Amino acid sequence: EFFTENGVIFSAGGTCLFAFPPARTDTYYVPSGVAAIAPGAFAGSQLSKLDIRACEQLDVSVLPEYIEVILPVRDGEVP
């Protein structure tokens, strides 16, 4: 089962982001409960930045290279 929030499709529990609307631009802030991004979820997307600072650990290797990822700052790291 799935649900949508502002056009973004998530798994029923909100832990997986399945699809992102291709017409959205600018920056998207991934909700804290997301633990995975489905391969192809951002295919055709015009998004410029993806902010994953609210997520503990999120594999961004499935994202297109043109999307800039804003990573969380870990303890002891300099932003």
Side-chain angles (χ1 to χ4, degrees), residues 32-76:
S32 62
V34 175
I37 297 174
F42 288 86
S45 170
Q46 298 178 33
L47 189 70
S48 59
K49 294 181 183 178
L50 187 70
D51 188 327
I52 64 167
R53 288 180 288 187
C55 303
E56 286 296 317
Q57 294 181 12
L58 191 59
D59 179 11
V60 295
S61 66
V62 298
L63 296 174
E65 292 181 8
Y66 60 84
I67 296 177
E68 179 184 341
V69 178
I70 302 169
L71 299 168
V73 176
R74 305 285 182 219
D75 289 339

